[in-house]
Structure formats: C-alpha cells, structure tokens
Amino acid sequence: MKLKIELKLIMSKLQTLRRFKYLTMEKYSCVLLLAIFGIFAVRNFLVPLFADDYSYAFIWNGKDKGNLMNGIGKRERVKSVKDIFISQYSHYLTWSGRFTAHFLIQFFILIGKKFFNIINTIAFVVLIFLIYQLGIIENGKTGFEFVSSDLVFWILFCYWFCIPSLLITSFWICGSCVYMFMAVLQCSFIIPYALNYFNPCDFNIGFMIVLGFLAGFSNEFGGAGVFFFTLGCIISSFVSNYNYISSWQVLGFLAFCAGYAALIFAPGNFVHVQLLREQFPDYLIPKESYMKKEMFTKNFLSGFLPVILRAWIIFIPIIHYFFKNGFDLRGVYIFILAVSGIFSLSVMMFSPDFPERGGYSAVIFLLIASVSALQDVIFPNWLKYLAMVILFSDMALCVYSDFDFSRQIKNIIRLAEEQKHNDSIFIPNIRSSKVAIITRWRALNESALWAGGFEESPEGNTNIMFAQYYDYGLKKIILKGSN
C-alpha cells in the first residue's frame, strides 16, 4: 500500500515537472517570438522614406505623365483624404489599377512615417497569425485555442528567408502597402472558404461581398492565387455537399471577380506600359518579343525560377506529407494551396515585366500549405536552436544595414539643407552596406538602389520629387561625381 502511494507521488511529481518544463519552454518561445516582432518594428523605424514614397506624397498628375516619369514639373502635396481620392482617380486612369494599395500608400505618407511604422508592424503580426490560422484550420481549430510556437517560428523563419525582396515588400511604404497589406486582405477573404472546406458554415453575405471586392481590387499576382483557391474550395464544397453551394460563397466570389476585373482592366495599366516604353525602352519586354519565347524565357529566369529556388525549404514538408498521407482531406487542401501559389507565379509569366518580388503572394500560399503539412510534426530541439541562431544572426546584419541606410539618407537631407540657397544641390549617392552580399534582398542592396535610388540625371524622377518634398523648389539635385 505504501509503495503504491509513493509511486503515485513520484508519478505526480514527474507530471508536474513535465508540465513545468513545457510551460517554461513555451514562455521561452514566446520571448523569442516577441523579440522577432520587436526587431521587425525596429527595422520599420530605421527604413526611411525612399524613392517612390516621395512621388506619392503629391497629388497624381496624369495629364503630365504622372509622378514617376523623368522631367516632370511641379506637383501639389496631398493635404487631405479628399486629395487622395482625387489623386487615385487620376492614378487609376493613367498608371495602375491597384487603387486599394495606392490609396493606403498616400494615406500613410499623409499621416506620417511614425504612424506607418506602428501600423505596419501590427499588419505583419496579423499576417503571421492569418498564415498560421489558415494552416491549422482543419477540424474547426482556431489560433486562439491551439497555438504552436514551433509552427509560428517556422512561419517567421520562412517569411524572413523565402519572401522575395523582403525590404521592399515588407518595410518600404510603397512596397509594403502593395504586397504585405494586400496579403492581409487576401488571406482575410479566403479564411471563410478554408473553414467551409472542412466544415460547412455560414457567413454574412454583405461582409463577404465588400471583402471580396477589396481582395480582388488589390494586386494582380495575389488575386490570381485567391481566384484559384476560392474556386477550388467552392468546387470541393459543391461535390462534398451533394451539389449545394452557399450563397455567401457565390456572391463573395463574384464580388472578388468584379474587383479583380476593375484591377486588371484599369485604363492606367495600358497607359503605364506605353509611358514606360517611351521613356525606359529597356525596362520592359520589347514589343516584338511580347508573348514569344524571348519573353517567357526572360520572365522564367528573372521571376519564376528565383522565387521557386528561394522558397525551396517550404516545399519539403509539402512533398513529405504527400508521400506519407497522399490525397486525403487535408492533402487536397494542401494541394489547392500549393497550386494556387504556382498559379500566381504562372500568371506573372504573361506580364511584360516579372521582377522577383512579383512572387510574393505565391510564397504566402506555399507557406500556408507548408504549415498545414507540418501541424502534426514535432521539431527536434537541435534544429530549432540552429534555426534561431541563423535567423537572429541575419536579423542583426539587416538591422546594421538599415541603420547605415538611414544614416546616409539623413546625411543627404542635411547636405541638401545646407545648399538650399544654391541653384544646384550636390549630394552623394546612397551605397549599400558592407553586409549587402549576405543580406541580399532582405536589406538594401545594389538592385534596390538601381530601381529607386537617386539618379545621375537631374531630370530623374526621384531627384525632382525629393527636391519638392523637402521644399527645395525645382532646384537640380545632382549626384557628386556625375556629369
């Protein structure tokens, strides 16, 4: 009898120790996750206004080639939300159909960079939660009831290293609004369809129509993935529910298609291409090569292939799941997500320009599929520790690079202030940091500077808008050492 009581006490103590160890590990993991989110916030505050940010601080003037062409004249600053609507109306007709994203850009520049830094950090946290939620959504699970710090860390690790052009798509005002904010919108829209895939449910029709239209009116590449995913979920629901589809599914999808059509067929998309061909003939695929082998080869090598190679680690859990479980209920869900990502990339193959960052949304879909495939996997401790060392080391290098970037911009502004009474203002060009080779695309590098740095010609768009933003009139901004 005594022996039984002692054994029970020992077992109870062991369970208590295990529980304590588990809680300690979870607290430790929470501290690490908070540290990652904190570093993301720090980077937001270090990355300054840059390139197109200056152009979108002004009302878009479509009659005079917009705000992103060389040799433009004086522009009026955006001073109210009304000015943003006026600007975006002209922008829609003469440059781009991404009304939702560009409205946010001008709004954040209007209210100030500090507010954007805070909201952008919140948007990042929300996106990570949405990716996590979509990954573990099976059987009615929610992120509030079931939180795995291992899976969240996996998402953060893959986001940091697999997302193309991390600095541009997640920290820069213009890029973050076009890519990360729109990903939040798109993921929010597809959650009801994902929930309904596993367990039929009901949602407010009016809410789904509004959210669907905005998700469609977001960006081209992400919209393609959303289209395939929602259609796949609707077809699956139709088959599994004896030829029945909920009205919210249909109306939400149709609203999405309407928003996507408004985006794709915006008049500005065609004017935009024409302006680029006139002023930057080497930027786009030549007219004679459009829809030919040369175009597809260039797009494959510049966009499709680099995105796939960068995201190679994301494919491992997906492939492992199919070898182990095949096309069960979750397997089909993972398949729809993965194909949605590939479809998003494939659509971009038909674009006259396919930069690597165009694969952002594809990686988001693939990452969700990867999380779904991993939700029953336990990572060994040595692998987690190794991943933490790699991630935090790279984050430290990125923060160093951002600090150097911020210092250079502040120095340029100081030099411009000192010369504001001169006819011409001479400034040094921005240089990428010493760690740019290691932090390629995750921090400032030569490619980002080529796309959006100051230009050798005083007639360059960035130079002109920089001078107007800091109220230097139309004075020439000239790079030191240039002709």
Side-chain angles (χ1 to χ4, degrees), residues 33-83:
L33 295 177
L34 287 173
I36 294 170
F37 291 131
I39 292 171
F40 189 91
V42 168
R43 289 199 68 183
N44 272 289
F45 280 93
L46 284 175
V47 174
L49 291 178
F50 183 56
D52 296 358
D53 293 341
Y54 297 124
S55 299
Y56 283 104
F58 298 85
I59 297 174
W60 189 269
N61 187 342
K63 292 180 180 178
D64 185 21
K65 300 182 294 185
N67 295 8
L68 289 167
M69 291 285 104
N70 292 343
I72 58 175
K74 186 172 176 56
R75 296 288 184 265
E76 296 296 324
R77 281 291 287 267
V78 170
K79 296 177 181 176
S80 66
V81 173
K82 180 183 176 182
D83 286 346

Side-chain angles (χ1 to χ4, degrees), residues 7 16 50 88 150 152 154 175 254 276 278:
L7 283 171
T16 304
F50 183 56
Q88 283 307 307
D150 284 1
V152 175
W154 170 258
L254 291 176
L276 286 177
E278 290 173 3

